């Protein structure tokens, strides 16, 4: 089946072309109640495709590759929700004891779903867990920061362990499934800048990430990146590594016009709609804010519309749909 217009636009952007009417792609859609009311069981690929058609989303996610690296601690809050509360990774032996998952059933399932997505004229993506985010959250951020100075050798080895697993996942899962692109889940920045010194950051991530993404380059599969926080020190490294796009562009940490002016010729920017704003604004305010985001973001033809992080069910449905309709109806400057 021929690609839908929004999917074709996203694919062009990921291949380095310019598109002045931004497609819509939500990497971290988490409005579970919204989904169930409108489309049914969120675990069924047919319903994910139904949502993509309804909202004119350009791509449907297959899921995240499990590399067996979860050392996070979650606690239940007073409202019954689960929140991240640190991590218990302390020794390299804890990682070395973790078996490599059997991905055979995942490959079988994703290949079948990938075919349905392709038949629907949509793009697909798979998530890989990036070394920085995986280890920082597995250790707990405070312990991670201390260990960088007291036991750098351990942290360095842990980062390499993650990327070795990612390379194997590319060889055994991505190569077989052939998604249209891969998203690295890579939170590494706060609102004012990187979580660690830029020099240490580069030493930890650059060479091993370069080796990992080289496998995707050989497969001809574009790869994109997600992080919250300020992107000024992140994007130059992503560009050097050949990433096609970066998702987040968190409004509370970045000025979108600055990002477009500084980096809009080198990488596709994805996101910027603030979810807290969406939860509190009127539909009229949402429409105005969405139009402004689209106007600024699309000015260099390298922008994808999205929230800057996971939209959750605290966002009024009317507001979310208003944003979606505004994205659909947007006309670039000079078009009637």
């Amino acid at each position: 089946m021929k690609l839908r217009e929004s999917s074709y636009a996203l694919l062009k952007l990921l291949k380095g072309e310019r598109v002045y009417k931004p497609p819509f792609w939500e990497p971290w859609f988490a409005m579970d109640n919204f989904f169930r009311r409108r489309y049914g069981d969120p675990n069924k690929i047919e319903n994910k495709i139904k949502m993509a058609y309804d909202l004119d989303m350009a791509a449907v996610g297959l899921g995240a590759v499990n590399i067996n690296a979860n050392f996070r601690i979650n606690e239940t809050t007073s409202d019954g929700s689960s929140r991240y509360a640190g991590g218990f990774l302390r020794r390299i032996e804890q990682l070395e004891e973790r078996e490599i998952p059997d991905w055979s059933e995942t490959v079988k399932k994703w290949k079948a779903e990938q075919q349905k997505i392709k038949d629907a004229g949509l793009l697909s993506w798979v998530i890989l867990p990036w070394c920085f985010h995986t280890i920082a959250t597995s250790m707990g951020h405070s312990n991670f920061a201390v260990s960088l100075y007291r036991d750098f050798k351990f942290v360095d080895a842990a980062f390499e362990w993650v990327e070795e697993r990612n390379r194997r996942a590319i060889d055994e899962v991505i190569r077989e499934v052939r998604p249209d692109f891969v998203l690295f889940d890579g939170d590494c920045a706060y609102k004012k800048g990187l979580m660690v010194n830029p020099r240490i950051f580069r030493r930890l991530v650059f060479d091993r990430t370069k080796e990992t993404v080289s496998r995707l380059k050989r497969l001809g599969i574009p790869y994109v990146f997600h992080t919250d926080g300020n992107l000024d020190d992140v994007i130059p490294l992503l560009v050097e590594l050949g990433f096609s796009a970066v998702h987040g562009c968190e409004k509370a940490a970045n000025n979108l016009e600055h990002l477009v002016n500084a980096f809009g010729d080198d990488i596709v920017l994805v996101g910027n709609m603030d979810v807290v704003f969406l939860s509190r604004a009127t539909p009229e305010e949402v429409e105005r804010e969405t139009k402004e985001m689209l106007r600024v973001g699309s000015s260099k033809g390298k922008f994808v519309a999205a929230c800057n992080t996971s939209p959750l069910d605290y966002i009024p449905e009317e507001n979310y749909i208003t944003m979606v309709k505004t994205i659909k109806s947007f006309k670039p400057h000079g078009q009637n």
Side-chain angles (χ1 to χ4, degrees):
M1 181 177 178
K2 182 180 178 182
L3 279 177
R4 290 169 61 86
E5 183 178 351
S6 59
S7 301
Y8 181 61
L10 178 57
L11 186 60
K12 287 177 67 176
L13 286 167
L14 295 179
K15 290 183 175 181
E17 300 180 49
R18 297 181 192 265
V19 173
Y20 289 91
K21 178 175 170 53
F24 177 42
W25 168 53
E26 202 78 275
W28 306 118
F29 188 84
M31 297 174 68
D32 191 61
N33 293 334
F34 172 97
F35 190 105
R36 290 182 181 278
R37 282 196 303 271
R38 296 175 70 96
Y39 315 113
D41 184 353
N43 296 310
K44 292 185 176 180
I45 194 65
E46 294 82 3
N47 294 339
K48 293 180 181 179
I49 291 170
K50 190 187 302 182
M51 181 185 77
Y53 270 53
D54 183 40
L55 303 182
D56 201 26
M57 278 193 192
V60 173
L62 291 167
V65 178
N66 171 28
I67 64 168
N68 202 8
N70 183 14
F71 293 85
R72 293 164 57 107
I73 298 169
N74 291 318
E75 295 180 350
T76 303
T77 62
S78 58
D79 63 2
S81 61
S82 180
R83 299 267 179 95
Y84 171 71
F88 60 94
L89 176 64
R90 297 293 183 269
R91 299 174 293 105
I92 195 65
E93 289 79 13
Q94 290 175 269
L95 291 167
E96 293 171 344
E97 291 166 358
R98 292 290 179 97
E99 295 183 357
I100 295 173
D102 180 356
W103 290 311
S104 57
E105 288 302 312
T106 297
V107 169
K108 182 179 178 181
K109 177 176 182 287
W110 283 357
K111 286 178 77 171
E113 292 181 344
Q114 159 73 348
Q115 188 59 52
K116 291 180 180 179
I117 294 167
K118 183 177 180 180
D119 291 344
L122 299 163
L123 303 182
S124 66
W125 83 90
V126 164
I127 299 170
L128 284 177
W130 194 50
C131 53
F132 190 103
H133 181 47
T134 300
I135 297 305
T137 54
S138 289
M139 295 181 69
H141 288 101
S142 295
N143 184 60
F144 171 68
V146 171
S147 296
L148 280 175
Y149 293 93
R150 293 184 176 175
D151 195 1
F152 184 88
K153 185 178 179 181
F154 160 59
V155 177
D156 194 51
F159 273 47
E160 183 60 22
W161 184 94
V162 172
E163 291 311 313
E164 285 178 354
R165 288 280 171 108
N166 279 339
R167 292 166 204 146
R168 185 156 183 169
I170 290 169
D171 293 341
E172 298 183 19
V173 180
I174 305 299
R175 184 187 298 274
E176 290 296 316
V177 176
R178 304 292 302 198
D180 293 291
F181 60 100
V182 169
L183 170 65
F184 284 81
D185 182 6
D187 277 342
C188 58
Y190 295 127
K191 285 182 171 55
K192 296 297 184 180
L194 288 170
M195 292 181 181
V196 299
N197 179 282
R199 179 182 56 81
I200 295 175
F201 180 72
R202 185 179 181 91
R203 179 181 172 189
L204 280 169
V205 306
F206 187 83
D207 287 342
R208 55 182 45 108
T209 304
K210 184 177 180 180
E211 173 60 28
T212 301
V213 298
S214 70
R215 285 165 160 78
L216 296 172
K217 284 183 178 180
R218 289 196 289 271
L219 293 172
I221 297 176
Y223 44 97
V224 306
F225 192 84
H226 162 80
T227 182
D228 296 333
N230 185 277
L231 297 178
D232 284 346
D233 290 323
V234 179
I235 290 179
L237 184 139
L238 298 180
V239 171
E240 196 173 348
L241 289 168
F243 281 83
S244 296
V246 57
H247 170 264
C249 304
E250 184 183 354
K251 191 174 182 65
N254 300 274
N255 178 285
L256 183 58
E257 188 170 10
H258 161 70
L259 292 180
V260 171
N261 290 336
F263 308 113
D265 289 313
D266 302 318
I267 195 167
V268 176
L269 303 170
V270 186
N272 194 241
M273 177 54 68
D274 186 82
V275 293
V276 176
F277 168 81
L278 278 181
S279 72
R280 298 173 178 174
T282 65
E284 293 75 20
E285 290 170 335
V286 170
E287 182 179 2
R288 286 197 299 270
E289 186 76 5
T290 304
K291 285 180 177 178
E292 181 64 9
M293 176 186 73
L294 295 168
R295 183 191 68 78
V296 173
S298 68
S299 60
K300 288 192 175 183
K302 289 203 167 189
F303 184 69
V304 176
C307 292
N308 56 206
T309 190
S310 305
L312 298 165
D313 278 312
Y314 59 67
I315 296 172
E317 185 168 325
E318 182 181 12
N319 282 1
Y320 195 79
I321 293 300
T322 297
M323 180 189 74
V324 170
K325 288 181 176 179
T326 306
I327 295 168
K328 283 184 182 182
S329 63
F330 176 73
K331 290 181 172 57
H333 181 71
Q335 293 188 13
N336 294 323

